[in-house]
């Protein structure tokens, strides 16, 4: 469908319930080029349709996915999702120097952090960099694909904010999955939340902004093995 991810929801085999009555479904996600193991905003979209368009009678939905069973809970005008905690480790900038040089467009780098489980590389910029500077960069995303490496499947560029209202901001690029830049990425925040928790003395709650041209706000709560992501959604197109 030529958008970052498309969610496909199906009923569980052998279950005779309807989309309106049941609370358990299968869920898969596809980019324009391939299937991915986790997508937060496509999960939010799926839950939004089931809750609001189909008028599902349950308060919690359970999705069986390649990342295990994920939950989506209706909370007033927002939906809370329980996603895996995909914490990584701090790595030397030199290990990913070519990728970092391309993606940062000359902005100074403070640290990098890599999640082996997801293949997501987090690049933290120096605190002296402004949000406006992060928003202004236009990396040559196609050039990332020319770097000889097999570990990295997506790059998060993030920056500490002042907490008014955001604790950190970010952008996300994943040409390896057919995505030049993703508007809002729940799965990236399963790496961002544990990283910023270590920077803020094991803090557990954050307000984040993904500052792509079509960005969004995320409200995060970090658990031992889960990241709770609360967000809002808008239905812009419906068909019959």
């Amino acid at each position: 469908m030529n958008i970052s991810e498309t969610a496909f929801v199906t009923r569980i085999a052998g279950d005779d319930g309807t989309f309106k009555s049941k609370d358990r479904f299968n869920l898969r996600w596809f980019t324009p080029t391939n299937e991915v193991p986790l997508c937060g905003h496509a999960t939010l979209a799926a839950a939004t349709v089931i809750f609001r368009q189909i008028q599902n009678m349950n308060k919690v939905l359970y999705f069986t996915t390649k990342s295990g069973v994920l939950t989506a809970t209706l909370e007033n005008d927002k939906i809370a999702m329980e996603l895996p905690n995909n914490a990584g480790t701090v790595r030397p900038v030199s290990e990913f120097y070519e990728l970092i040089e391309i993606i940062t467009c000359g902005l100074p780098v403070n640290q990098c952090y890599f999640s082996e489980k997801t293949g997501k590389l987090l690049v933290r910029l120096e605190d002296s960099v402004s949000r406006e500077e992060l928003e202004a960069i236009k990396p040559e995303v196609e050039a990332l694909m020319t770097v000889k490496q097999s570990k990295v499947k997506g790059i998060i560029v993030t920056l500490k904010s002042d907490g008014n209202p955001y604790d950190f901001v970010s952008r996300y690029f994943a040409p390896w999955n057919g995505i030049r830049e993703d508007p809002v990425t729940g799965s990236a925040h399963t790496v961002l939340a544990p990283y910023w928790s270590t920077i803020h003395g094991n803090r557990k709650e954050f307000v984040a902004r993904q500052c792509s041209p079509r960005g969004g706000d995320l409200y995060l709560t970090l658990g031992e093995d889960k990241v709770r992501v609360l967000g809002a959604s808008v239905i812009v197109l419906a068909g019959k």
Side-chain angles (χ1 to χ4, degrees):
M1 295 183 68
N2 201 33
I3 55 177
S4 298
E5 279 90 9
T6 302
F8 291 85
V9 186
T10 58
R11 290 185 298 178
I12 293 174
D15 191 333
D16 294 330
T18 67
F19 276 93
K20 188 170 184 177
S21 64
K22 301 305 293 184
D23 63 355
R24 296 179 184 272
F25 304 95
N26 296 314
L27 177 60
R28 298 172 70 182
W29 311 277
F30 292 82
T31 76
T33 60
N34 56 276
E35 185 172 8
V36 292
L38 178 65
C39 181
H41 68 273
T43 303
L44 177 64
T48 298
V49 170
I50 294 172
F51 279 133
R52 296 180 183 162
Q53 292 292 99
I54 299 176
Q55 297 291 303
N56 187 283
M57 62 184 66
N58 299 286
K59 288 294 183 183
V60 182
L61 301 177
Y62 300 86
F63 294 111
T64 299
T65 77
K66 286 183 176 291
S67 291
V69 176
L70 309 181
T71 65
T73 305
L74 187 62
E75 296 191 3
N76 299 317
D77 61 338
K78 294 182 174 64
I79 292 173
M81 299 173 291
E82 294 279 344
L83 304 181
N85 180 336
N86 289 314
T89 56
V90 173
R91 306 285 271 270
V93 172
S94 58
E95 183 177 351
F96 303 101
Y97 177 77
E98 289 182 83
L99 295 173
I100 291 172
E101 187 176 37
I102 293 168
I103 206 68
T104 57
C105 299
L107 294 178
V109 174
N110 178 292
Q111 197 171 51
C112 75
Y113 178 88
F114 184 64
S115 169
E116 292 276 1
K117 187 175 181 180
T118 64
K120 287 179 170 54
L121 173 65
L122 182 155
V123 180
R124 177 188 171 187
L125 301 177
E126 289 285 6
D127 295 346
S128 59
V129 178
S130 68
R131 172 180 165 178
E132 289 75 20
E133 288 176 296
L134 172 59
E135 291 175 338
I137 61 171
K138 296 180 180 179
E140 295 182 21
V141 176
E142 291 79 5
L144 296 170
M145 302 291 286
T146 68
V147 177
K148 292 183 179 180
Q149 61 87 34
S150 58
K151 293 181 179 179
V152 177
K153 303 301 181 185
I155 303 181
I156 305 161
V157 185
T158 187
L159 180 66
K160 185 178 181 180
S161 194
D162 59 8
N164 188 27
Y166 306 115
D167 299 299
F168 61 85
V169 298
S170 67
R171 292 175 67 182
Y172 180 66
F173 306 86
W176 300 274
N177 285 313
I179 304 166
R180 285 182 54 83
E181 180 172 7
D182 206 17
V184 186
T185 318
S187 61
H189 286 79
T190 67
V191 180
L192 280 158
Y195 172 75
W196 283 110
S197 177
T198 64
I199 300 301
H200 288 283
N202 292 319
R203 183 175 164 184
K204 301 302 182 185
E205 295 187 351
F206 299 94
V207 180
R209 174 74 184 181
Q210 191 157 334
C211 54
S212 66
R214 219 185 79 207
D217 297 346
L218 302 95
Y219 304 87
L220 311 170
T221 303
L222 181 65
E224 185 174 340
D225 59 354
K226 298 287 185 183
V227 177
R228 183 178 184 271
V229 181
L230 180 70
S233 59
V234 177
I235 295 174
V236 296
L237 182 68
K240 293 183 179 181

